[in-house]
Amino acid sequence: MSGQERELFRKYNVAGPRYTSYPTVPYWDTTPSAEQWLHSVAQGLNASRKSGAGAAIYVHVPFCQSLCTYCGCNTRITRRQDVGTPYVRTVLAEWRLYREMLLGQGVSQIPLSELHLGGGTPTFLAPAELEELVRGILEGTELTPSHEFSVEADPRVTTPEHLATLARLGFKRLSLGIQDFDSKVQEVVHRVQSVEQVQAVTVTARNLGFTSVNYDLIYGLPFQTKTSVEATVQAVMKLRPDRIAYYGYAHVPWIKPSQRRFTEADLPDGNAKRELYELGRTLLEQAGYAEVGMDHFALKTDSLWVAAAEGELHRNFMGYTSRSVSPLIGLGVSAIGDSWTAFAQNEKVLETYQERVAQGELPILRGHVLNEEDQILRRHILNLMTQFNTDWQHSSVATDYLAGVGERLAELARDGLVELTAQGCRVRERGKPFLRNVCMAFDARLARRTPDSTLFSKTV
């Protein structure tokens, strides 16, 4: 990394959202009632049926056998295998509530385009429990011709029986949490797994017909060095996953107490962390992976790269996807749904979630109904996140807040990171690492709640 690049990274090293939604979760302030939420979902389903795009369902499985200390997800750590079936049946009861209530909104059949199992560890469930879950979810749905099923898995607990069951149920995409192969790093983050374990799951999945395998890697973990990151990436390259998510570690011990197992002194500092990212990015690109969005890379044979090249890339709570499907219905504890005009998140405490479903209630904890400005700014942030440019020449995508965006982006423009016009913004190639900073300029709710917020360090 050159001195100029190092200075830019120091200058723009400010905390910013990942923008899997807008408004971002901390700024949700108008939780929809169950009736409002169902109405917005029904509208989205009717629109998706007409367009043929279909809807998506996300199922959150919170259980893990051990705690990974870097993790920010909603999890329940247990080795009790008897928790799986009751949870599956609660999720299916929640799904039945949706189907019954949507029937009252005039929706008799859900056009399903995507089903994703996340967590936690979906493969914590036994193969028979996965089968019961998926077959139950498919009741009341009509699969679109190009439907796609995907699942997250932990290589340490995923068996050939798990994969065979998932393949038989129609799953074609598999995401594996790798993070890092260095033994010292693995020990401190409590995620010890070998290259051989990952290879065995990858090979088995491909032999069973999985067509896309994704690996999650994390940079900025405790005790990571350039040497350890390079060794991890080189090991990953030999296994040749189709997609790679290369995330920056977020140290928030006040939110996730498990992160107190190590201290900030054990973490790479700002410049060192950025150099780890640049090293990984360079190695991935040299190996034939193209950057398709923030923190995401794909081979040119993968549908994610094709979607990016054709301008069809989409982003939601599941990360980047190869197409836009709406609405997204979230099932399970803490799962988030998105109808485009509203968000709804389920109860985050497992027992409370189960109690509310048993009482015949949609277990909505919080959410947000988007106003007109929210919807317009959401579109622009999504454009930037998926296409690296946006414009508001047409009145349908213009709002008063955009009049000040040029001023907020002026510093990035002077540094050659973005190109501005009177009614548009394009992220330059050298500006892509600062995509969060660019999107923050469009975040009206952030600016209003924190008037002194800035896109770059005040110490510069």
Side-chain angles (χ1 to χ4, degrees):
M1 189 190 302
S2 69
Q4 184 182 32
E5 289 173 327
R6 190 174 288 108
E7 177 60 23
L8 283 173
F9 288 127
R10 185 183 72 83
K11 180 176 181 178
Y12 291 102
N13 184 27
V14 296
R18 295 185 188 273
Y19 289 110
T20 51
S21 74
Y22 181 82
T24 54
V25 174
Y27 298 94
W28 290 359
D29 58 12
T30 52
T31 298
S33 65
E35 186 176 350
Q36 285 177 306
W37 169 242
L38 285 165
H39 180 67
S40 70
V41 170
Q43 286 186 313
L45 288 170
N46 288 329
S48 68
R49 179 176 292 282
K50 290 177 183 176
S51 68
I57 294 176
Y58 169 76
V59 182
H60 188 77
V61 180
F63 306 113
C64 293
Q65 289 190 5
S66 61
L67 177 65
C68 301
T69 56
Y70 59 82
C71 182
C73 300
N74 186 306
T75 59
R76 174 65 61 93
I77 308 304
T78 180
R79 289 185 175 273
R80 289 181 49 191
Q81 293 301 309
D82 60 350
V83 299
T85 295
Y87 183 75
V88 164
R89 291 177 182 169
T90 301
V91 170
L92 294 180
E94 182 190 3
W95 178 230
R96 284 193 296 273
L97 287 174
Y98 265 102
R99 288 161 49 202
E100 292 166 4
M101 294 177 180
L102 285 169
L103 197 59
Q105 297 277 344
V107 178
S108 59
Q109 198 83 354
I110 287 84
L112 184 62
S113 184
E114 292 186 4
L115 171 62
H116 182 76
L117 309 184
T121 307
T123 49
F124 173 96
L125 299 177
E129 291 168 337
L130 285 171
E131 181 146 10
E132 181 179 355
L133 174 64
V134 174
R135 292 200 183 282
I137 293 296
L138 294 181
E139 289 182 15
T141 68
E142 180 182 348
L143 296 179
T144 63
S146 58
H147 64 273
E148 186 175 83
F149 295 175
S150 56
V151 60
E152 299 171 14
D154 180 342
R156 299 171 300 174
V157 301
T158 302
T159 66
E161 291 74 24
H162 280 114
L163 295 172
T165 298
L166 290 163
R168 188 174 66 252
L169 292 168
F171 283 77
K172 297 292 185 182
R173 281 198 52 232
L174 175 69
S175 182
L176 299 178
I178 309 302
Q179 323 322 341
D180 194 291
F181 280 128
D182 183 82
S183 58
K184 185 176 183 180
V185 176
Q186 287 189 348
E187 183 176 352
V188 75
V189 300
H190 209 228
R191 179 77 178 216
V192 177
Q193 60 191 10
S194 67
V195 175
E196 290 73 23
Q197 283 176 301
V198 174
Q199 181 178 24
V201 173
T202 301
V203 171
T204 300
R206 285 176 167 157
N207 288 341
L208 287 166
F210 282 78
T211 56
S212 182
V213 177
N214 172 81
Y215 287 178
D216 287 347
L217 304 179
I218 296 180
Y219 64 93
L221 290 171
F223 304 120
Q224 271 185 330
T225 64
K226 287 184 177 180
T227 299
S228 68
V229 166
E230 182 171 5
T232 292
V233 174
Q234 295 293 359
V236 164
M237 292 304 93
K238 292 178 182 178
L239 301 179
R240 207 66 177 167
D242 303 274
R243 305 177 183 180
I244 293 174
Y246 191 37
Y247 297 114
Y249 168 67
H251 192 58
V252 287
W254 57 93
I255 299 175
K256 291 293 180 179
S258 61
Q259 294 181 350
R260 294 196 177 102
R261 190 179 181 193
F262 43 86
T263 69
E264 290 189 7
D266 300 321
L267 302 172
D269 64 21
N271 278 335
K273 182 178 179 180
R274 194 68 216 185
E275 288 178 353
L276 294 180
Y277 172 78
E278 288 301 314
L279 172 62
R281 179 189 185 191
T282 299
L283 292 171
L284 291 172
E285 290 179 340
Q286 289 175 350
Y289 290 83
E291 187 176 21
V292 296
M294 187 179 73
D295 305 331
H296 282 68
F297 300 80
L299 294 173
K300 292 186 177 181
T301 53
D302 189 79
S303 61
L304 204 63
W305 183 88
V306 174
E310 295 179 350
E312 299 295 328
L313 196 65
H314 185 59
R315 184 168 175 82
N316 57 25
F317 289 106
M318 297 183 289
Y320 284 101
T321 63
S322 59
R323 55 193 168 173
S324 175
V325 294
S326 184
L328 166 65
I329 299 173
L331 302 174
V333 62
S334 78
I336 298 178
D338 175 4
S339 68
W340 183 263
T341 58
F343 301 118
Q345 182 175 27
N346 281 349
E347 293 283 356
K348 299 174 73 173
V349 177
L350 178 60
E351 290 77 11
T352 308
Y353 162 76
Q354 291 174 318
E355 288 169 7
R356 289 191 62 188
V357 172
Q359 292 166 6
E361 302 176 24
L362 290 185
I364 297 171
L365 169 67
R366 60 177 175 176
H368 183 78
V369 178
L370 283 74
N371 61 33
E372 184 178 359
E373 182 191 71
D374 289 337
Q375 292 181 52
I376 290 173
L377 295 179
R378 182 183 188 187
R379 172 57 60 190
H380 291 297
I381 289 173
L382 180 61
N383 288 344
L384 289 164
M385 276 285 173
T386 58
Q387 302 173 32
F388 300 106
N389 69 83
T390 194
D391 71 71
W392 48 97
Q393 297 178 44
H394 302 292
S395 59
S396 62
V397 288
T399 189
D400 291 346
Y401 182 76
L402 294 171
V405 165
E407 183 179 349
R408 290 179 63 79
L409 287 172
E411 189 74 11
L412 285 93
R414 283 192 287 271
D415 286 331
L417 305 180
V418 298
E419 180 182 317
L420 299 176
T421 64
Q423 293 178 297
C425 169
R426 182 179 69 84
V427 182
R428 295 178 180 271
E429 187 65 31
R430 70 192 303 247
K432 288 182 178 180
F434 308 99
L435 187 55
R436 287 193 196 188
N437 306 74
V438 178
C439 290
M440 287 167 66
F442 291 79
D443 192 335
R445 289 183 175 267
L446 172 65
R448 288 170 185 149
R449 186 181 295 185
T450 315
D452 61 345
S453 63
T454 180
L455 313 185
F456 54 91
S457 172
K458 296 178 182 179
T459 61
V460 176

